[in-house]
Amino acid sequence: MNAIAKILLLFWGITALSHPLYAQEEEGMYENRTFYGGLLLGTNWSQVDGDNFAGYARKGLNVGGIVYLKIGENVALSLEVLLSQKGARSKLPYEAKPGIYITKYGVDFNYAQIPIMINYYDRRKSHFGGGFSYSRLASVNEYVSTNPPATYNIQEYPVYY
């Protein structure tokens, strides 16, 4: 887990264990707020198509914050700021070229994402939303181990079916 993910996870943990304090509390005061906010914590299971290691073997964090702007009785706009980890992992050895087997392979992608959505809430408290998202690749790490040990240039010997 990289430094950004650790910091966000620590921030979320501290916030989740905190008890809210209010200077003034009034009956019904929080039902008519214009802005609502919160923290998000989730998990991604991902794979990379075409890498010959099928399956959703890469598990990563999806953490960040969200702010809702209530624009109607049942409608709100939302803005999120997220760190999303995706990638791929090998499960079984793969013969990359005659006599050389890939025993361990992985690629990790860290994305910064900013989804902007419009949300509708019905009477049953169901939530429907749609919108668009800006996403930027923040970092990538790719690694490979072979048996017997060999220099393996991923660009020279791409892994395909």
mmCIF file of all heavy atoms in Angstrom, residues 47-48 51-57 89 91 161:
data_model
loop_
_atom_site.group_PDB
_atom_site.id
_atom_site.type_symbol
_atom_site.label_atom_id
_atom_site.label_comp_id
_atom_site.label_asym_id
_atom_site.label_seq_id
_atom_site.Cartn_x
_atom_site.Cartn_y
_atom_site.Cartn_z
ATOM 1 N N GLN A 47 -8.900 -6.637 -13.055
ATOM 2 C CA GLN A 47 -8.011 -7.393 -13.917
ATOM 3 C C GLN A 47 -7.648 -6.518 -15.104
ATOM 4 O O GLN A 47 -8.280 -5.490 -15.342
ATOM 5 C CB GLN A 47 -8.679 -8.678 -14.404
ATOM 6 C CG GLN A 47 -9.807 -8.461 -15.392
ATOM 7 C CD GLN A 47 -10.357 -9.769 -15.942
ATOM 8 O OE1 GLN A 47 -9.973 -10.840 -15.512
ATOM 9 N NE2 GLN A 47 -11.254 -9.669 -16.886
ATOM 10 N N VAL A 48 -6.616 -6.919 -15.847
ATOM 11 C CA VAL A 48 -6.216 -6.219 -17.058
ATOM 12 C C VAL A 48 -6.472 -7.157 -18.227
ATOM 13 O O VAL A 48 -5.910 -8.264 -18.272
ATOM 14 C CB VAL A 48 -4.720 -5.805 -16.996
ATOM 15 C CG1 VAL A 48 -4.278 -5.197 -18.312
ATOM 16 C CG2 VAL A 48 -4.490 -4.843 -15.845
ATOM 17 N N ASP A 51 -3.662 -9.692 -20.642
ATOM 18 C CA ASP A 51 -2.378 -9.990 -19.999
ATOM 19 C C ASP A 51 -2.163 -11.485 -19.766
ATOM 20 O O ASP A 51 -1.161 -11.883 -19.203
ATOM 21 C CB ASP A 51 -2.231 -9.230 -18.688
ATOM 22 C CG ASP A 51 -3.207 -9.685 -17.619
ATOM 23 O OD1 ASP A 51 -4.072 -10.534 -17.901
ATOM 24 O OD2 ASP A 51 -3.118 -9.171 -16.499
ATOM 25 N N ASN A 52 -3.099 -12.316 -20.192
ATOM 26 C CA ASN A 52 -3.057 -13.779 -20.076
ATOM 27 C C ASN A 52 -3.178 -14.267 -18.635
ATOM 28 O O ASN A 52 -2.910 -15.413 -18.349
ATOM 29 C CB ASN A 52 -1.788 -14.349 -20.721
ATOM 30 C CG ASN A 52 -1.962 -15.810 -21.075
ATOM 31 O OD1 ASN A 52 -3.058 -16.252 -21.392
ATOM 32 N ND2 ASN A 52 -0.891 -16.574 -21.019
ATOM 33 N N PHE A 53 -3.524 -13.411 -17.715
ATOM 34 C CA PHE A 53 -3.752 -13.801 -16.334
ATOM 35 C C PHE A 53 -5.188 -13.439 -15.975
ATOM 36 O O PHE A 53 -5.441 -12.489 -15.239
ATOM 37 C CB PHE A 53 -2.769 -13.093 -15.400
ATOM 38 C CG PHE A 53 -1.335 -13.418 -15.694
ATOM 39 C CD1 PHE A 53 -0.491 -12.462 -16.204
ATOM 40 C CD2 PHE A 53 -0.845 -14.692 -15.481
ATOM 41 C CE1 PHE A 53 0.828 -12.745 -16.470
ATOM 42 C CE2 PHE A 53 0.469 -14.998 -15.754
ATOM 43 C CZ PHE A 53 1.319 -14.027 -16.256
ATOM 44 N N ALA A 54 -6.121 -14.177 -16.524
ATOM 45 C CA ALA A 54 -7.532 -13.865 -16.348
ATOM 46 C C ALA A 54 -7.947 -14.019 -14.890
ATOM 47 O O ALA A 54 -7.373 -14.804 -14.140
ATOM 48 C CB ALA A 54 -8.378 -14.771 -17.232
ATOM 49 N N GLY A 55 -8.943 -13.269 -14.510
ATOM 50 C CA GLY A 55 -9.490 -13.342 -13.168
ATOM 51 C C GLY A 55 -9.278 -12.052 -12.406
ATOM 52 O O GLY A 55 -8.298 -11.346 -12.623
ATOM 53 N N TYR A 56 -10.194 -11.781 -11.538
ATOM 54 C CA TYR A 56 -10.147 -10.556 -10.737
ATOM 55 C C TYR A 56 -9.322 -10.815 -9.483
ATOM 56 O O TYR A 56 -9.839 -10.884 -8.383
ATOM 57 C CB TYR A 56 -11.563 -10.100 -10.414
ATOM 58 C CG TYR A 56 -12.290 -9.628 -11.636
ATOM 59 C CD1 TYR A 56 -13.029 -10.496 -12.421
ATOM 60 C CD2 TYR A 56 -12.200 -8.312 -12.044
ATOM 61 C CE1 TYR A 56 -13.664 -10.060 -13.569
ATOM 62 C CE2 TYR A 56 -12.828 -7.861 -13.185
ATOM 63 C CZ TYR A 56 -13.567 -8.747 -13.942
ATOM 64 O OH TYR A 56 -14.182 -8.307 -15.070
ATOM 65 N N ALA A 57 -8.009 -10.950 -9.666
ATOM 66 C CA ALA A 57 -7.110 -11.310 -8.568
ATOM 67 C C ALA A 57 -6.521 -10.099 -7.862
ATOM 68 O O ALA A 57 -5.961 -10.231 -6.787
ATOM 69 C CB ALA A 57 -5.982 -12.195 -9.099
ATOM 70 N N ARG A 89 -2.906 -9.504 -11.196
ATOM 71 C CA ARG A 89 -1.996 -10.433 -10.525
ATOM 72 C C ARG A 89 -2.026 -11.756 -11.284
ATOM 73 O O ARG A 89 -3.046 -12.148 -11.833
ATOM 74 C CB ARG A 89 -2.437 -10.726 -9.088
ATOM 75 C CG ARG A 89 -2.404 -9.560 -8.157
ATOM 76 C CD ARG A 89 -0.993 -9.352 -7.648
ATOM 77 N NE ARG A 89 -0.943 -8.321 -6.645
ATOM 78 C CZ ARG A 89 -0.811 -7.036 -6.893
ATOM 79 N NH1 ARG A 89 -0.761 -6.596 -8.119
ATOM 80 N NH2 ARG A 89 -0.736 -6.157 -5.924
ATOM 81 N N LYS A 91 -1.895 -15.878 -11.241
ATOM 82 C CA LYS A 91 -2.312 -16.943 -10.331
ATOM 83 C C LYS A 91 -1.492 -18.210 -10.559
ATOM 84 O O LYS A 91 -1.193 -18.927 -9.631
ATOM 85 C CB LYS A 91 -3.792 -17.250 -10.516
ATOM 86 C CG LYS A 91 -4.712 -16.170 -10.029
ATOM 87 C CD LYS A 91 -6.141 -16.628 -10.130
ATOM 88 C CE LYS A 91 -7.064 -15.578 -9.570
ATOM 89 N NZ LYS A 91 -8.460 -15.991 -9.631
ATOM 90 N N TYR A 161 -2.627 -14.169 -25.372
ATOM 91 C CA TYR A 161 -3.165 -15.520 -25.515
ATOM 92 C C TYR A 161 -2.625 -16.151 -26.760
ATOM 93 O O TYR A 161 -2.412 -15.576 -27.759
ATOM 94 C CB TYR A 161 -4.703 -15.468 -25.585
ATOM 95 C CG TYR A 161 -5.329 -15.279 -24.260
ATOM 96 C CD1 TYR A 161 -5.798 -14.037 -23.858
ATOM 97 C CD2 TYR A 161 -5.428 -16.312 -23.363
ATOM 98 C CE1 TYR A 161 -6.357 -13.841 -22.621
ATOM 99 C CE2 TYR A 161 -5.983 -16.123 -22.126
ATOM 100 C CZ TYR A 161 -6.452 -14.895 -21.756
ATOM 101 O OH TYR A 161 -7.008 -14.704 -20.523
#
